[in-house]
Amino acid sequence: MSKRVTINDVAQAAGVSRQTVSRALNDKGEIDAGTKQRVLDAARELGYRPSRFARGLVRQDTTTIGLVIPDLLNPFFTEVAAGALEAARARGWHVIVYDTADSVDTERGTLEVVASQVDAVVGYFSLDEAELDTHLSGLPAVLIGREHRTPRFSSIRIEGAAGVREAVDHLVAKGHRRIGMLDYAGRAKPNSRRAWFADAMAAHGLADDAVGGAVQSVDGGTEALTSLLTKHPDLTAVFTFNDIIAIGALRAARRLGRTVPDDLAVVGFDGLQLGTVVDPALTSVALDTRRVGALAIEQAGRLLTDSPLLPDEELQVNAVLVIRESA
Amino acid sequence: MSKRVTINDVAQAAGVSRQTVSRALNDKGEIDAGTKQRVLDAARELGYRPSRFARGLVRQDTTTIGLVIPDLLNPFFTEVAAGALEAARARGWHVIVYDTADSVDTERGTLEVVASQVDAVVGYFSLDEAELDTHLSGLPAVLIGREHRTPRFSSIRIEGAAGVREAVDHLVAKGHRRIGMLDYAGRAKPNSRRAWFADAMAAHGLADDAVGGAVQSVDGGTEALTSLLTKHPDLTAVFTFNDIIAIGALRAARRLGRTVPDDLAVVGFDGLQLGTVVDPALTSVALDTRRVGALAIEQAGRLLTDSPLLPDEELQVNAVLVIRESA
DNA sequence: TTGAAAGCGTTACCAT
DNA sequence: ATGGTAACGCTTTCAA
């Protein structure tokens, strides 16, 4: 790496002082047009580029937020990221996107780095709060889609009980009685979506006995539905942990010769744009993903400026049923 | 924004000097265990977080690369981004992702900011080189999927002539003679893909008269194929500018009662993972998108360190035909 | 219009 | 083991 060209080099080349160079480069006025041009020429000549660190040190106004997501290739996270980027841009903030490659180890490493690179962090984390705290060493953080127990963190809550209830209501209204679920296989503890579904089924007095686990991928959904239907061939509808799995389920149904929605109704969760691309278009309990990202940024901003935080009820994003073609 | 806690505050609280604080926080050794603990406690107590600017200023080793893409929601760019992130992480570099919202104005604004935030930039730009240069003011830049004319820039070239030729060969081998193309409508000048297709058709002595323009979206593809088939109902196959448009075409074919691939063969371009999700799975002239991102990062790194640049022939990514179900 | 001096918060180097 | 001093590169007073 060749030695860095500094403002002093430019000053010397142009035969002026540093401060004059600074003025010329920042359009400060109070400078002779000729001098300015001379400085600009010298700067270009030398390939001078101001150090962002030195600049940041002096003017403390650059806010950078870290956005941590498990997988850039998962459209759900991309949609959330898009919302966050948009909200951040509106405030003139920067966003550094970190992809933890869905691995806990990578997450640890990432957090270590994140902590020294940004002013606040928002996103999806899998570490527990205690460990998160040690890696983050005081960095303001907003957890998405996950409750926080310690006041140390803030979080955006996904509320889907009503939406899932809507979905089951819809299925029941269509005459379905045997409704299964494709849950997420990767998580040890029972998750909210599973519970929401159980509640909704109970409300209709229906048996909630046909539940399979799916890996978080299209292929995972395909495999999971195939084996679920083997065990429970009488199912006429299935609710899935998310749209990715649902899309895999769509494919499995097709391969098994079941027409969707006539022979099997499928309802996903998330309401991804991707769901409009497949055929039949996916009926889904939809989240406003952009809003999720925007809220996280908003709250991070408040954390950063010690402004009053958003109240809990505003930190919640409600899912609603979006009926398309698959159910 | 409350006043910043500096290393001096911690030093004072712990009753030691700045340097000692620095040692304690950076695990430097040469420090008494008790002192270290005292410093750590004080730091935690005060909520001290080192300034990344001051740090960056003194240790000149943090490399940050800007990745500019038109649209985070477009899976093609996401795949490239994933490749870039991975390559950057392997080198211990940071990547800031910028989304230009597919707008030239946003691109201008973004570049202005980018220039003062990163050490180098890679990505997709729509501005011409002259304007790019003024906004970037000397920042090393790697343009993806686009030739550069001035030595000022470097670029990653997408070479699809052979792949498209393969695709047309394949279609012809299957008996197709009337093959149309859904080109990208947004670009004024004839683009490479259009030319590659024309050449491939010419090589077979086939008429290249059925070409429509599509907006860059699934809906765009649907509309475009619909109108193309209205004009040229005799088409039995169609090649599209990219997979997104191809997926829209798939949907249009279905709506028009044409079975794919029997009544109409469809070949996309890009080879997105998304193409395996739709039904029938998309046959496509595929690019190694991860490699595109990785190459861009590699070249940016060389630009940055004044290492010998990658030679032109290595800066090229070749597309190859991937046969799935749609053709 | 221009320049000199004083920081911004941190780490490296050299004493002690 | 600890502290003093000098950078790092830039912008912001304040004088001239």
Side-chain angles (χ1 to χ4, degrees):
Chain A
M1 182 104 61
S2 56
K3 199 168 294 134
R4 181 170 189 108
V5 179
T6 76
I7 196 171
N8 286 311
D9 301 327
V10 178
Q12 192 168 357
V16 298
S17 70
R18 300 208 281 267
Q19 311 48 303
T20 304
V21 175
S22 178
R23 285 194 194 94
L25 263 48
N26 296 305
D27 282 319
K28 282 287 180 187
E30 304 200 338
I31 184 175
D32 181 82
T35 313
K36 178 168 177 177
Q37 192 53 54
R38 196 149 39 87
V39 171
L40 259 28
D41 288 346
R44 158 148 316 207
E45 183 74 26
L46 271 48
Y48 167 70
R49 305 201 334 96
S51 149
R52 66 173 180 283
F53 295 115
R55 247 192 192 157
L57 196 54
V58 171
R59 13 183 242 219
Q60 312 263 169
D61 52 0
T62 342
T63 300
T64 305
I65 299 202
L67 173 65
V68 176
I69 58 180
D71 180 13
L72 241 194
L73 295 179
N74 181 323
F76 173 73
F77 297 119
T78 311
E79 289 191 13
V80 173
L85 284 177
E86 191 175 55
R89 176 161 45 218
R91 293 169 173 73
W93 298 344
H94 290 278
V95 174
I96 306 195
V97 179
Y98 300 87
D99 178 326
T100 57
D102 233 333
S103 131
V104 183
D105 280 335
T106 310
E107 181 174 334
R108 288 198 184 87
T110 302
L111 292 183
E112 217 60 64
V113 181
V114 164
S116 68
Q117 290 293 125
V118 303
D119 301 304
V121 63
V122 309
Y124 292 83
F125 308 91
S126 61
L127 296 174
D128 61 51
E129 295 186 28
E131 190 173 356
L132 223 41
D133 196 16
T134 71
H135 289 297
L136 255 24
S137 55
L139 190 72
V142 179
L143 319 180
I144 307 180
R146 150 173 179 185
E147 303 287 327
H148 63 284
R149 296 265 150 266
T150 51
R152 160 78 180 79
F153 297 104
S154 192
S155 63
I156 309 296
R157 201 170 50 256
I158 307 301
E159 180 49 63
V164 173
R165 177 63 197 271
E166 274 187 88
V168 173
D169 288 354
H170 173 70
L171 290 172
V172 169
K174 290 274 188 175
H176 296 279
R177 291 296 175 271
R178 289 295 292 148
I179 309 173
M181 174 170 180
L182 252 32
D183 196 13
Y184 177 41
R187 193 157 340 195
K189 298 173 198 164
N191 62 67
S192 310
R193 298 183 197 184
R194 174 76 192 87
W196 294 331
F197 178 70
D199 288 349
M201 290 295 278
H204 282 280
L206 296 176
D208 173 33
D209 60 331
V211 177
V215 172
Q216 161 69 319
S217 70
V218 173
D219 287 341
T222 301
E223 289 167 23
L225 182 65
T226 305
S227 77
L228 186 67
L229 286 183
T230 304
K231 272 191 221 139
H232 304 278
D234 58 327
L235 291 180
T236 63
V238 59
F239 168 65
T240 69
F241 180 80
N242 67 19
D243 285 356
I244 302 288
I245 292 172
I247 287 171
L250 248 32
R251 185 207 275 162
R254 195 180 300 119
R255 291 187 182 163
L256 295 172
R258 295 241 205 168
T259 303
V260 176
D262 298 337
D263 301 335
L264 183 78
V266 176
V267 178
F269 193 100
D270 282 347
L272 299 185
Q273 299 187 0
L274 183 56
T276 65
V277 167
V278 295
D279 183 78
L282 196 60
T283 290
S284 182
V285 180
L287 233 40
D288 185 343
T289 47
R290 319 279 291 216
R291 181 142 178 278
V292 171
L295 273 179
I297 292 292
E298 168 68 25
Q299 183 77 338
R302 287 164 181 251
L303 245 23
L304 229 35
T305 55
D306 288 327
S307 314
L309 299 181
L310 287 173
D312 267 18
E313 59 272 23
E314 290 192 36
L315 284 173
Q316 176 171 316
V317 177
N318 298 303
V320 298
L321 180 66
V322 170
I323 299 174
R324 291 201 278 249
E325 302 165 356
S326 70
Chain B
M1 183 103 61
S2 55
K3 199 173 289 132
R4 173 163 200 113
V5 179
T6 75
I7 197 172
N8 285 310
D9 301 326
V10 179
Q12 192 169 353
V16 298
S17 71
R18 294 205 289 263
Q19 308 53 297
T20 304
V21 175
S22 179
R23 286 193 193 96
L25 264 48
N26 296 306
D27 281 319
K28 282 286 181 187
E30 304 201 341
I31 183 174
D32 181 82
T35 313
K36 179 169 178 177
Q37 193 52 54
R38 199 149 37 86
V39 171
L40 259 29
D41 288 346
R44 160 148 316 208
E45 183 74 26
L46 271 48
Y48 167 70
R49 303 202 330 98
S51 150
R52 65 172 183 282
F53 295 114
R55 260 204 179 145
L57 194 54
V58 65
R59 16 182 239 217
Q60 312 263 171
D61 52 359
T62 342
T63 300
T64 305
I65 298 199
L67 173 64
V68 176
I69 57 180
D71 180 12
L72 242 195
L73 296 179
N74 182 325
F76 173 74
F77 297 118
T78 313
E79 290 191 13
V80 173
L85 284 178
E86 191 175 55
R89 176 161 47 215
R91 293 169 173 73
W93 297 344
H94 291 279
V95 174
I96 306 195
V97 179
Y98 300 86
D99 177 326
T100 56
D102 234 333
S103 131
V104 183
D105 280 334
T106 310
E107 180 174 334
R108 288 197 183 88
T110 302
L111 293 183
E112 214 62 61
V113 180
V114 164
S116 68
Q117 289 293 125
V118 302
D119 302 305
V121 63
V122 309
Y124 292 84
F125 308 90
S126 61
L127 295 175
D128 61 52
E129 294 187 29
E131 191 174 355
L132 222 40
D133 195 16
T134 71
H135 289 297
L136 255 25
S137 55
L139 189 73
V142 179
L143 319 181
I144 306 180
R146 152 174 178 185
E147 304 286 327
H148 63 284
R149 296 265 149 266
T150 49
R152 161 76 180 82
F153 297 104
S154 192
S155 63
I156 309 297
R157 201 171 48 257
I158 306 302
E159 179 49 63
V164 173
R165 176 62 196 272
E166 274 186 88
V168 172
D169 288 354
H170 173 70
L171 290 172
V172 169
K174 290 275 188 175
H176 295 280
R177 293 295 175 272
R178 289 293 294 148
I179 307 172
M181 174 169 181
L182 252 32
D183 196 13
Y184 177 41
R187 193 158 338 197
K189 298 172 198 165
N191 62 68
S192 310
R193 299 183 196 184
R194 175 76 191 85
W196 294 330
F197 178 70
D199 288 349
M201 290 294 278
H204 283 279
L206 297 176
D208 172 32
D209 59 330
V211 177
V215 172
Q216 159 71 317
S217 70
V218 173
D219 287 340
T222 302
E223 288 167 24
L225 181 65
T226 305
S227 77
L228 185 68
L229 286 183
T230 304
K231 269 192 221 139
H232 303 279
D234 58 328
L235 292 179
T236 64
V238 60
F239 168 66
T240 68
F241 179 80
N242 67 18
D243 285 355
I244 303 288
I245 291 171
I247 287 171
L250 248 33
R251 184 207 276 162
R254 194 180 301 119
R255 291 188 182 163
L256 294 172
R258 294 241 206 170
T259 303
V260 176
D262 298 336
D263 301 335
L264 184 78
V266 176
V267 179
F269 193 101
D270 283 346
L272 298 186
Q273 300 187 0
L274 183 57
T276 66
V277 167
V278 294
D279 184 77
L282 196 60
T283 290
S284 182
V285 179
L287 234 40
D288 185 344
T289 46
R290 319 279 292 215
R291 180 142 177 278
V292 171
L295 273 178
I297 292 291
E298 168 67 28
Q299 182 77 340
R302 287 164 180 252
L303 245 24
L304 229 34
T305 55
D306 289 328
S307 314
L309 298 182
L310 287 173
D312 266 18
E313 59 273 23
E314 291 192 35
L315 284 174
Q316 176 172 314
V317 177
N318 298 303
V320 298
L321 181 65
V322 170
I323 299 175
R324 291 201 278 248
E325 302 166 355
S326 70

